[in-house]
Amino acid sequence: MADLDVKFDDREDRRDRGRYNRDNRGGNNKRRRDDEDDHHYTPRDDRRGPQRRRRDDYPRDGQRRGRYEEPPFPKLRRMIVNIASTAKLPEDESIEIARLLRDHYDDEDIRNQFFDVFVQLIVDQPFKIPFVAAVAFYGNQVKAEITTEAMKRVGERLQESLAAGQWREFKLLLRFFACLQPIFEEDGIFTLLGQLFDTVVDLQSANENDVVGIELVKIILLTIPYAIASGGDRFHDKANELLNSTGIVAGNTLPVEALIHPYDDDIEDTVINYHSVIGLLQQQLTAESQSGWKLACIPKFHVDAMQRTNPEDTLQATPATHVFPTFTIPSPVNPGSKPLFPEAYFSLFANQESSIVPALNDIAASLIRDAIVDTIDQLDFNREVVAKFLVDLDCYWSHGTFANRGIALDKFLQEFGNDKATYKSEDMVIDAIFSLLFKLPTPEHKLVYYHSLITQCCKAAPAAIAPSLGRAIRSIYKNLHAMDLELGHRFLDWFSHHLSNFEFRWRWAEWIDDLKLSKLEPKKAFIVAALDKEIRLSFAKRVRQTLPEEFSLLIPERLDEDNSPEFKYEKPETPYAAEGQMLLQQLRKKATHEQVQETIDRIHAQAEEQGISDVLVPSTDAFVTAICRLGAKSLSHFLSCVERGRERLVNIAQQSDSARRQIVTSVVEYWKDQPGIAVRIIDLLLNYTILAPMTVIQWVFGDHMGAGEALTESWVFEMVSNTVTKVTNRNRQIASARLQRGLPAEQVEMVDATLTKDRDNARELFRYIEDACRGLAEGAADRLIEKESSGALSAEDGQLIRAWGKRWSMVFVRKSAIEESVVGEQAVEARIKFLAAQPEPEVVELVKVDEANGAGAEDGDTAME
Amino acid sequence: MPAIRKNTVERLDRPSSYATSKNRRKNNRRDDDSRRDPTPEFEDKLKDATTLYVGNLSFYTTEEQIHELFSKCGEIKRLVMGLDRFQKTPCGFCFVEYYTHQDALDCMKYIGGTKLDERVIRTDLDEGFAEGRQYGRGKSGGQVRDEYRNEFDPGRGGYGRAYADEYDD
């Protein structure tokens, strides 16, 4: 009982600490919910919980108050939803719920509603599955129908998710059954796991690059420990047998896995080497089986708890055993609507010597990680609740799995330094969130979700989370040179966004020595880019205030002034100065097409005299720079200026490729101190098809790259990946339009033609990028060779550029391969074949999904054409 | 197939109480005029919403800043800054329109309640921008909430304007 009290105090304490920023409140009560920084989410049903408890604990004048009897369903709902989150023992809670349910079991409404919540809870709140299963487990001892009904309802949902290829839900629902293993006859869940493995064998023998089988093996491996933890030693042999068969699949490496390494394995001493999730699981389980399947972290329930709490209130006979329900594994297996990939296990802290988080060979690493990750990804619609669950992580695992919340690192090392089975919960939470932020090839949700979740965790438990977060940042920063470049950019984007939520507070001073580094060093490039990104979300003067002076020098002074960037044609020495100024005047006064043409012709005449081969280049420069100047006030102003010059710009684009690239040059040059705005404008010009994707890519690698120095500029990477994403998104929309069921034949032909053409364009784009990056990576690019041999570039810098080239190359080779696996001929054909084989009922759902995508595609069209 | 599955946790991508109560007021008014065709139901109107109302911005927050943050949830189709009706200067709100409903919902979930320009901003699903809605509806041209504010808010013009006028007189 003593430690439960501590827990409760702990909670109060955290709440106090959360109240650190009261002053920031906007003062408007209506908006209190949004403005309050220390907002703690309490689910609606939670509210009554603590109050009631308090009332029970310290009864006031009982007679005067008149006891309020909570109706049965709301009470049941509140109890099950909050199971394991209160100060009570989860075992007692499960028993109490089972009894209350038994007392009202004859009421059909209550029963139905209760099981609706019951099933949804498994899918929504993965941490609670063992506890929810315990309700069915103890229910079996008071009224076997409770268990029968629970199995029926969860089973229906399980079959549904299996048929639809919703693998995460399937895994969670399966875990519920695993936790009920002791009440099943014979092998229980192992029969189903065996069938699933047979399916894996079929899938793998049909296709050596199959990924669905990998997903299934992951599910099998993550289910075994729960079944053993509940079922006990009579299933050890079954588990070992299954492990023997999964070994081959789990130990296998697919070619595509080479593309999803978070860190370059060729570089020594980085954060973590590549481990596939299933490979690691297989090793951990094998180790666990050798040490007798302790599975220490999984909460366990005692069969005789019921008798202990209330001996006379139990069924006299021995509890019923149940036949494990039969499920149909569809053939062919539905791969699901989301593209599947093998997964890498990511951890920032696992390689450290002390056991702050479980070591890589510890099954707890995978089990706890898996549950955290599912909680985060299933509940993306309420980050406030997720943050609360994460802060309460220790409630959901067996006692002693974690040190006290918020324990300082040195104290932890002192007390648990040698204890390999006690972990620091905050570090595990941060580790898990970063694993999602850094998931390759694509994150489950938009990255900004993980940004806001970290922010939310910092609000919920600032004193506990902040130090772990600091350690995470330092560890990532230290190894930036070895990190996948796309991940480096995700980190950059998160870092700047995160700081913008916390008054830009960061101990910049500790990176001061890195300012001396060459601009080509990843660390230096990161600092420069982070400041730029901070400014984009705020403004230069503000960011400058938050920095040590040395860093402040990186921000151009001009940005402190509240005016537009200079217009180069105002300087008389600029070629075509008079014409440039004239164009600006004409645009401002909305002069006629002819008047503008007159000025442009004057530029052409002068340029021709000077022997410039493409006279459209200088005139385009003047025209676009004038538009930038006139539209400098805001993006809306810019857009209305572009509208005015649109026709001319489209004509330029059609006439000359070099003039088209000049559009990019002029925009970037005008906004050289705020490249973020240039990137945004280029994106808009792509939508107007004033620029083509290839224009941007050729500008980057042809006009702007130099000897490769531009590879270090984060905004250049941003521009290239935005452009590529625009192209690939469109292709995916077309592909999903093609997969629409019941598409008329003539439309099939049309969509197929578009898809073929655009797929080829995308391939060409990728090829161009890959060739250019490879040239720099291998040191074969002309300008790199030139600069190196002339001595303009030192040998070290040359090596740095090669390393950047390699990192760039990896990103786009991956992106290209991923697109092939989604919109490539093979992928689309396989999908068409699969859909054709589906029975009718599937249609309704599929059409609905595709309608949404189809609408998106149309929008995309108007935007692109 | 079960009809609607209610999550066990409240969702952040639902229209706010403000949008709901605004609709209720409208409905009440409509009841008086029973001959008119009923307008589509409120929930229906928002079920494909791609636009968000964004509130509690600083007057100094720029379009570029808004773009930088909100494009983290998807490509922005249109951004309309809320302006003071008389001065035509930003007055602390805007409408952000995405290409897809999902992006708008994600924005509710991931951006609503976080900070932009160091202020906690508010997002709400909106039935779509219509000309005229970009202007403040307060007496002095800004938003109503800035008319009668007792606290000093440097990002939103200081004290409430109604009071500021009093001091001037």
Side-chain angles (χ1 to χ4, degrees):
Chain A
M1 204 55 212
D3 52 77
L4 286 181
D5 286 335
V6 171
K7 227 178 222 175
F8 200 77
D9 284 342
D10 221 35
R11 195 165 300 197
E12 294 293 317
D13 185 27
R14 267 181 299 116
R15 219 168 270 168
D16 278 332
R17 256 183 267 149
R19 230 168 264 161
Y20 70 112
N21 215 353
R22 265 273 140 99
D23 302 346
N24 249 16
R25 200 198 287 176
N28 188 327
N29 278 339
K30 252 196 233 162
R31 291 181 172 77
R32 224 190 69 149
R33 193 191 141 268
D34 288 343
D35 292 358
E36 218 174 10
D37 261 340
D38 60 348
H39 174 70
H40 277 261
Y41 179 84
T42 22
R44 237 173 232 157
D45 312 284
D46 200 11
R47 259 169 225 160
R48 194 165 283 135
Q51 277 171 11
R52 275 184 70 84
R53 203 177 314 127
R54 206 161 296 149
R55 227 187 282 153
D56 293 342
D57 287 351
Y58 317 101
R60 288 206 210 157
D61 184 357
Q63 281 157 341
R64 207 174 54 95
R65 268 199 142 224
R67 286 226 159 204
Y68 166 74
E69 197 55 53
E70 195 180 5
F73 173 65
K75 186 173 181 187
L76 277 166
R77 185 180 195 282
R78 173 177 59 74
M79 286 167 73
I80 187 120
V81 166
N82 293 311
I83 199 165
S85 320
T86 64
K88 285 183 188 163
L89 266 179
E91 205 165 69
D92 296 346
E93 282 183 298
S94 309
I95 291 172
E96 202 184 331
I97 295 170
R99 286 200 176 120
L100 188 61
L101 181 62
R102 175 203 56 194
D103 295 345
H104 297 279
Y105 202 77
D106 293 338
D107 187 328
E108 199 185 332
D109 277 353
I110 292 180
R111 209 165 59 217
N112 283 339
Q113 292 183 74
F114 176 81
F115 282 111
D116 282 345
V117 176
F118 190 90
V119 175
Q120 192 61 37
L121 198 54
I122 294 170
V123 173
D124 272 353
Q125 306 189 26
F127 283 148
K128 298 184 180 166
I129 295 172
F131 309 101
V132 172
V135 172
F137 177 68
Y138 291 121
N140 197 40
Q141 300 178 10
V142 293
K143 192 174 179 73
E145 287 93 327
I146 291 180
T147 316
T148 316
E149 183 68 12
M151 281 168 35
K152 179 171 157 271
R153 296 290 301 268
V154 179
E156 284 164 3
R157 185 79 178 260
L158 180 122
Q159 182 64 63
E160 209 181 287
S161 58
L162 179 56
Q166 291 165 330
W167 300 118
R168 191 195 298 270
E169 292 201 358
F170 174 66
K171 177 181 71 182
L172 297 173
L173 296 156
L174 197 59
R175 181 170 311 162
F176 168 83
F177 285 102
C179 293
L180 286 182
Q181 180 70 0
I183 63 161
F184 293 126
E185 288 166 9
E186 297 174 11
D187 293 345
I189 197 161
F190 282 97
T191 313
L192 177 59
L193 295 182
Q195 287 163 352
L196 283 172
F197 185 74
D198 293 343
T199 310
V200 174
V201 173
D202 292 347
L203 286 164
Q204 299 261 311
S205 48
N207 175 5
E208 55 176 2
N209 286 321
D210 164 72
V211 279
V212 181
I214 290 183
E215 189 69 20
L216 285 176
V217 168
K218 184 180 93 179
I219 293 171
I220 294 170
L221 294 178
L222 281 167
T223 305
I224 294 175
Y226 287 94
I228 298 287
S230 71
D233 35 8
R234 81 185 156 102
F235 296 104
H236 286 187
D237 291 345
K238 276 277 151 203
N240 295 340
E241 199 181 300
L242 196 53
L243 266 184
N244 278 338
S245 359
T246 54
I248 305 159
V249 183
N252 190 22
T253 308
L254 291 187
V256 67
E257 290 181 64
L259 301 175
I260 57 165
H261 292 197
Y263 283 95
D264 185 343
D265 279 351
D266 295 343
I267 298 176
E268 277 173 29
D269 242 6
T270 61
V271 173
I272 189 167
N273 288 332
Y274 177 74
H275 300 278
S276 79
V277 163
I278 55 168
L280 205 57
L281 261 171
Q282 178 76 28
Q283 286 171 26
Q284 292 163 344
L285 286 173
T286 310
E288 193 68 18
S289 78
Q290 280 154 9
S291 61
W293 292 108
K294 287 199 202 79
L295 298 165
C297 66
I298 299 178
K300 300 179 185 66
F301 295 88
H302 302 100
V303 190
D304 52 357
M306 183 73 88
Q307 283 90 335
R308 228 172 35 212
T309 49
N310 199 350
E312 63 272 24
D313 191 24
T314 318
L315 289 182
Q316 291 311 308
T318 34
T321 51
H322 299 255
V323 179
F324 193 85
T326 35
F327 296 103
T328 327
I329 303 171
S331 176
V333 177
N334 187 343
S337 52
K338 280 187 182 164
L340 291 172
F341 295 100
E343 288 172 70
Y345 184 84
F346 183 90
S347 170
L348 288 167
F349 303 127
N351 261 356
Q352 290 167 5
E353 275 173 33
S354 54
S355 66
I356 309 172
V357 301
L360 279 177
N361 57 13
D362 181 351
I363 185 65
S366 290
L367 289 176
I368 300 175
R369 167 66 64 80
D370 175 64
I372 298 179
V373 159
D374 285 346
T375 302
I376 293 173
D377 280 344
Q378 287 296 84
L379 287 177
D380 77 294
F381 51 82
N382 194 329
R383 60 179 195 267
E384 295 165 2
V385 168
V386 175
K388 185 183 174 297
F389 288 157
L390 297 183
V391 169
D392 291 348
L393 182 67
D394 52 2
C395 293
Y396 308 110
W397 301 89
S398 33
H399 184 74
T401 308
F402 299 99
N404 281 347
R405 292 181 193 180
I407 188 171
L409 184 67
D410 48 357
K411 209 168 159 220
F412 177 88
L413 293 178
Q414 216 174 40
E415 285 181 35
F416 304 100
N418 297 319
D419 180 351
K420 294 274 175 242
T422 303
Y423 322 114
K424 191 160 154 37
S425 66
E426 297 81 16
D427 286 50
M428 294 201 67
V429 167
I430 289 298
D431 216 15
I433 305 179
F434 275 105
S435 81
L436 291 168
L437 192 68
F438 293 150
K439 185 172 171 195
L440 285 175
T442 37
E444 180 77 17
H445 294 290
K446 289 176 178 136
L447 292 165
V448 62
Y449 168 48
Y450 307 111
H451 299 188
S452 67
L453 180 59
I454 294 177
T455 302
Q456 204 68 43
C457 289
C458 286
K459 286 183 188 174
I465 295 285
S468 304
L469 197 56
R471 274 201 302 286
I473 294 171
R474 288 179 189 103
S475 160
I476 299 166
Y477 177 78
K478 195 176 146 215
N479 292 288
L480 273 174
H481 61 286
M483 190 177 216
D484 181 89
L485 189 63
E486 186 177 346
L487 300 188
H489 276 268
R490 290 190 198 169
F491 174 60
L492 171 70
D493 208 39
W494 166 75
F495 181 73
S496 52
H497 186 203
H498 183 79
L499 294 195
S500 83
N501 271 278
F502 294 94
E503 287 109 52
F504 297 103
R505 275 173 299 163
W506 174 247
R507 264 188 247 148
W508 289 100
E510 64 188 62
W511 292 345
I512 236 164
D513 288 342
D514 295 339
L515 289 177
K516 294 187 217 113
L517 295 173
S518 151
K519 261 174 38 187
L520 301 175
E521 287 276 0
K523 284 190 178 111
K524 179 71 177 290
F526 174 81
I527 293 173
V528 172
L531 295 183
D532 173 50
K533 285 245 175 192
E534 285 193 19
I535 293 172
R536 291 194 207 176
L537 287 165
S538 181
F539 50 101
K541 250 188 180 162
R542 169 69 181 122
V543 172
R544 198 189 291 285
Q545 280 174 6
T546 66
L547 298 170
E549 214 184 326
E550 293 84 343
F551 286 83
S552 188
L553 295 173
L554 293 172
I555 303 176
E557 262 173 53
R558 194 203 71 70
L559 292 182
D560 288 4
E561 299 156 20
D562 193 19
N563 56 18
S564 318
E566 112 188 319
F567 182 57
K568 67 178 178 184
Y569 296 99
E570 264 164 21
K571 286 194 207 146
E573 67 269 25
T574 311
Y576 321 104
E579 288 75 18
Q581 287 181 46
M582 174 68 99
L583 278 173
L584 180 59
Q585 288 303 325
Q586 288 175 324
L587 277 169
R588 188 171 280 145
K589 292 186 180 137
K590 301 185 178 138
T592 62
H593 182 82
E594 288 72 27
Q595 287 170 319
V596 173
Q597 188 58 45
E598 229 170 81
T599 317
I600 297 229
D601 286 342
R602 292 222 305 270
I603 297 179
H604 288 174
Q606 285 178 50
E608 224 158 295
E609 264 173 43
Q610 286 157 17
I612 287 171
S613 59
D614 189 349
V615 294
L616 260 178
V617 170
S619 70
T620 302
D621 187 20
F623 187 66
V624 173
T625 308
I627 288 179
C628 285
R629 173 64 193 87
L630 192 59
K633 203 169 172 203
S634 74
L635 281 174
S636 312
H637 286 84
F638 176 81
L639 280 179
S640 74
C641 293
V642 167
E643 284 291 349
R644 247 176 263 170
R646 186 175 182 175
E647 201 185 323
R648 184 176 297 278
L649 289 167
V650 170
N651 280 334
I652 292 170
Q654 281 163 0
Q655 282 174 49
S656 149
D657 275 347
S658 49
R660 203 177 193 185
R661 290 203 304 277
Q662 178 61 43
I663 299 175
V664 185
T665 311
S666 301
V667 169
V668 170
E669 192 185 304
Y670 184 78
W671 289 108
K672 60 179 180 300
D673 292 330
Q674 285 148 285
I677 298 183
V679 169
R680 187 86 47 214
I681 288 178
I682 299 305
D683 200 57
L684 292 167
L685 294 177
L686 278 167
N687 288 351
Y688 277 98
T689 60
I690 289 168
L691 299 176
M694 197 47 126
T695 322
V696 179
I697 300 306
Q698 286 180 342
W699 178 84
V700 166
F701 291 100
D703 301 352
H704 184 67
M705 192 45 67
E709 296 93 339
L711 294 177
T712 65
E713 292 170 319
S714 83
W715 63 269
V716 174
F717 181 85
E718 197 181 343
M719 197 185 265
V720 173
S721 39
N722 283 355
T723 306
V724 165
T725 306
K726 210 178 269 289
V727 172
T728 54
N729 276 350
R730 188 181 145 80
N731 285 354
R732 286 187 185 213
Q733 280 167 352
I734 300 170
S736 68
R738 175 63 187 86
L739 294 174
Q740 211 169 313
R741 262 260 179 117
L743 201 65
E746 70 272 18
Q747 280 197 38
V748 168
E749 210 171 291
M750 205 178 70
V751 176
D752 268 342
T754 317
L755 187 57
T756 308
K757 189 179 109 237
D758 286 6
R759 185 158 46 201
D760 285 344
N761 286 342
R763 281 174 183 156
E764 195 193 341
L765 201 68
F766 275 120
R767 216 160 24 236
Y768 193 98
I769 299 172
E770 285 165 28
D771 287 347
C773 292
R774 197 177 316 113
L776 289 160
E778 292 168 359
D782 292 343
R783 260 172 291 185
L784 178 57
I785 296 173
E786 254 168 56
K787 258 196 165 175
E788 274 186 319
S789 50
S790 75
L793 205 65
S794 69
E796 297 89 64
D797 282 353
Q799 288 310 314
L800 284 172
I801 287 177
R802 283 176 179 76
W804 279 98
K806 187 179 170 199
R807 294 168 74 210
W808 269 74
S809 185
M810 175 55 91
V811 172
F812 292 97
V813 168
R814 172 173 62 239
K815 283 185 192 279
S816 156
I818 298 313
E819 286 319 303
E820 286 300 329
S821 75
V822 178
V823 303
E825 288 87 348
Q826 262 191 329
V828 174
E829 271 157 31
R831 193 75 202 161
I832 290 171
K833 231 161 123 191
F834 174 79
L835 288 180
Q838 288 306 295
E840 283 307 302
E842 279 273 309
V843 179
V844 188
E845 200 190 354
L846 281 164
V847 169
K848 245 166 95 187
V849 172
D850 284 337
E851 261 170 23
N853 288 332
E858 269 166 42
D859 276 343
D861 279 343
T862 46
M864 296 282 287
E865 300 310 339
Chain B
M1 200 150 176
I4 297 160
R5 279 169 185 157
K6 199 176 168 298
N7 289 110
T8 55
V9 161
E10 196 184 329
R11 300 186 65 100
L12 298 182
D13 54 3
R14 295 271 182 258
S16 74
S17 58
Y18 174 79
T20 321
S21 73
K22 185 178 152 203
N23 172 66
R24 204 173 299 133
R25 286 200 299 275
K26 259 193 207 160
N27 276 346
N28 289 344
R29 239 179 293 146
R30 219 169 44 224
D31 288 344
D32 303 336
D33 189 3
S34 50
R35 268 164 302 176
R36 228 194 289 161
D37 287 335
T39 50
E41 269 314 300
F42 171 68
E43 288 283 343
D44 267 5
K45 261 187 180 170
L46 291 182
K47 87 176 185 340
D48 300 316
T50 53
T51 303
L52 297 163
Y53 164 88
V54 182
N56 199 35
L57 295 171
S58 153
F59 291 179
Y60 305 104
T61 298
T62 63
E63 282 182 39
E64 285 75 7
Q65 285 171 285
I66 296 168
H67 256 276
E68 185 68 24
L69 178 64
F70 281 81
S71 58
K72 291 183 196 298
C73 269
E75 189 171 345
I76 293 170
K77 192 176 182 187
R78 182 165 58 157
L79 169 60
V80 182
M81 294 295 281
L83 300 176
D84 182 295
R85 203 163 69 244
F86 303 121
Q87 293 166 25
K88 304 285 183 284
T89 53
C91 72
F93 71 99
C94 72
F95 295 97
V96 174
E97 188 183 344
Y98 288 102
Y99 283 97
T100 68
H101 179 54
Q102 189 57 50
D103 288 347
L105 291 179
D106 287 346
C107 188
M108 291 287 289
K109 294 183 286 188
Y110 313 148
I111 291 185
T114 67
K115 282 186 182 175
L116 175 59
D117 225 355
E118 303 182 57
R119 300 176 66 92
V120 175
I121 54 170
R122 191 174 85 89
T123 56
D124 206 347
L125 286 178
D126 191 275
E127 53 195 69
F129 172 74
E131 182 53 34
R133 287 188 66 203
Q134 71 269 49
Y135 298 118
R137 290 180 288 120
K139 199 172 122 236
S140 50
Q143 285 197 279
V144 179
R145 60 172 285 211
D146 291 313
E147 292 289 330
Y148 307 99
R149 181 160 23 79
N150 291 316
E151 300 90 353
F152 187 79
D153 183 346
R156 294 184 69 101
Y159 292 105
R161 290 206 197 161
Y163 305 121
D165 287 348
E166 259 170 48
Y167 300 136
D168 284 349
D169 285 342

